[in-house]
């Protein structure tokens, strides 16, 4: 779609969301689940940062320096391991910008995640890069648990988090714009009543659908959703558009069957987006 749909006098009229990865724990074609949302002109919110996410951000045409907010929904490696590497990439961008324009404003980065994830990732970065004692940009942390009861303004969105049902503490996200719920993302979870309630009225819902219902024994023990469970949640929320994410790569050849399974449960058409696909929310 042409950019003009998304911009008006440097104010966003429609929010753009680009899917980066739509898979889970893969080392080949489908990478980890992550997406970006343009929250003000030229500034992006990144949701989750798996090992390949820093590359996918650049492939989506976004400079690391323009990612101004990151939410890490939980500590699993497929959602967090790219974080220190993105900090590194952002530092290169900031240094290059400073060389080109010494007076240029360098956007700070706010990371919303569990406090011990923050401490662990900072320690990893410092351990790996004692040659970078301080970054060339401001780096700030906000505890994701505080957004459960106190929504936060992120550009032109207001973000709230919802504890969901995974094997480690994990948080779904609900984003409002001008009071309306524009987006609800489940993160990794079994179906969550709290998520369904918080997402009421959402225009767009993204829910994980890792496996078909025939693999339900595995997915309940790992606290993931099947396509049927994802479809049922989306059907309960009844959004304008529903997307599936976090597909287990071995089921990529069967994705159409998973989409059919989820759509039947939802009572509406839902699908896996393509990696790199942009949608309006
Ligand atoms: Zn995951
Ligand atoms: Zn997980």
């Amino acid at each position: 779609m042409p950019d003009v749909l998304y911009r008006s006098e440097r104010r966003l009229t429609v929010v753009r969301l680009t899917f980066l990865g739509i898979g889970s724990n893969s080392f080949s074609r489908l990478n980890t689940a992550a997406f970006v949302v343009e929250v003000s002109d030229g500034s992006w919110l990144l949701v989750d940062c798996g090992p390949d996410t820093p590359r996918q951000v650049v492939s989506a045409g976004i400079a690391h320096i323009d990612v101004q907010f990151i939410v890490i929904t939980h500590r699993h490696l497929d959602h967090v391991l790219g974080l220190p590497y993105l900090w590194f990439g952002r530092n290169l961008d900031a240094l290059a910008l400073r060389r080109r324009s010494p007076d240029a404003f360098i956007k700070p980065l706010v990371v919303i995640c569990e406090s011990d994830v923050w401490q662990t990732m900072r320690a990893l970065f410092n351990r790996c890069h004692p040659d970078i004692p301080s970054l060339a940009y401001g780096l700030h942390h906000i505890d994701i648990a505080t957004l459960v009861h106190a929504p936060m303004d992120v550009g032109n969105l207001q973000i709230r988090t919802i504890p969901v049902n995974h094997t480690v503490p994990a948080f779904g996200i609900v984003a409002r714009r001008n009071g309306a719920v524009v987006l609800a993302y489940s993160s990794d979870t079994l179906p969550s009543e709290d998520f369904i309630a918080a997402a009421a009225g959402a225009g767009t819902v993204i829910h994980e659908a890792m496996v078909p219902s025939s693999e339900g024994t595995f997915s309940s023990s790992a606290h993931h959703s099947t396509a049927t469970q994802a479809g049922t949640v989306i059907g309960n929320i009844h959004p304008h558009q529903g997307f599936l994410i976090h597909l287990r790569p071995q089921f990529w050849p069967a994705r159409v069957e998973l989409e059919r399974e989820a759509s039947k449960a939802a009572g509406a058409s839902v699908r896996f987006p393509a990696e790199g696909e942009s949608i309006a929310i």
Side-chain angles (χ1 to χ4, degrees):
M1 285 191 200
D3 241 13
V4 70
L5 278 182
Y6 302 110
R7 292 161 198 263
S8 170
E9 300 297 320
R10 297 186 60 76
R11 288 188 60 223
L12 294 172
T13 53
V14 175
V15 179
R16 181 164 54 142
L17 181 153
T18 300
F19 291 97
L20 299 177
I22 63 141
S24 57
N25 301 325
S26 170
F27 304 97
S28 57
R29 67 174 298 166
L30 286 182
N31 211 274
T32 48
F35 57 88
V36 281
V37 183
E38 192 170 21
V39 292
S40 61
D41 199 43
S43 288
W44 296 81
L45 159 69
L46 169 65
V47 177
D48 285 331
C49 194
D52 202 30
T53 306
R55 181 191 65 78
Q56 290 171 321
V57 167
V58 174
S59 296
I62 299 163
H64 288 165
I65 199 80
D66 290 330
V67 174
Q68 220 178 329
F69 303 91
I70 300 177
V71 176
I72 300 291
T73 63
H74 65 291
R75 67 185 63 189
H76 279 153
L77 290 175
D78 57 319
H79 297 257
V80 72
L81 197 55
L83 186 61
Y85 203 40
L86 192 136
W87 290 340
F88 181 86
R90 214 177 183 279
N91 203 51
L92 295 179
D93 282 0
L95 291 171
L97 179 59
R98 194 179 275 169
R99 270 196 303 276
R100 273 198 319 275
S101 319
D103 298 327
F105 173 68
I106 297 178
K107 296 173 190 171
L109 174 63
V110 176
V111 179
I112 302 163
C113 65
E114 285 184 275
S115 290
D116 61 350
V117 168
W118 167 259
Q119 283 154 14
T120 304
M121 290 296 126
R122 286 296 285 149
L124 177 63
F125 187 93
N126 292 340
R127 189 79 171 178
C128 295
H129 276 287
D131 52 311
I132 308 177
S134 66
L135 293 165
Y137 57 91
L139 178 61
H140 310 287
H141 168 243
I142 290 175
D143 184 349
I144 193 168
T146 63
L147 273 63
V148 174
H149 300 295
M152 176 185 159
D153 287 336
V154 171
N156 56 23
L157 297 181
Q158 192 185 50
I159 302 283
R160 188 190 152 198
T161 56
I162 301 98
V164 290
N165 182 357
H166 198 31
T167 50
V168 294
F171 296 83
I173 298 170
V174 167
R176 289 177 180 269
R177 183 163 184 262
N178 299 329
V181 182
V182 292
L183 173 69
Y185 169 52
S186 67
S187 185
D188 293 8
T189 182
L190 278 164
S192 158
E193 290 298 330
D194 290 344
F195 176 73
I196 293 170
T204 299
V205 174
I206 304 169
H207 201 285
E208 79 136 324
M210 196 177 192
V211 292
S213 58
S214 55
E215 299 283 327
T217 309
F218 153 74
S219 62
S220 17
S221 68
H223 291 226
H224 286 288
S225 292
T226 64
T228 294
Q229 288 171 323
T232 303
V233 171
I234 293 171
N236 272 309
I237 300 167
H238 203 60
H240 297 310
Q241 52 184 355
F243 293 95
L244 309 171
I245 202 168
H246 205 261
L247 176 66
R248 204 172 207 204
Q250 73 196 73
F251 294 106
W252 172 254
R255 66 195 176 280
V256 175
E257 284 99 280
L258 269 83
E259 289 172 344
R260 210 173 285 139
E261 184 186 312
S263 298
K264 189 175 167 203
S269 176
V270 295
R271 66 180 174 89
F272 290 98
E275 293 193 335
E277 179 177 346
S278 288
I279 60 166
I281 62 170

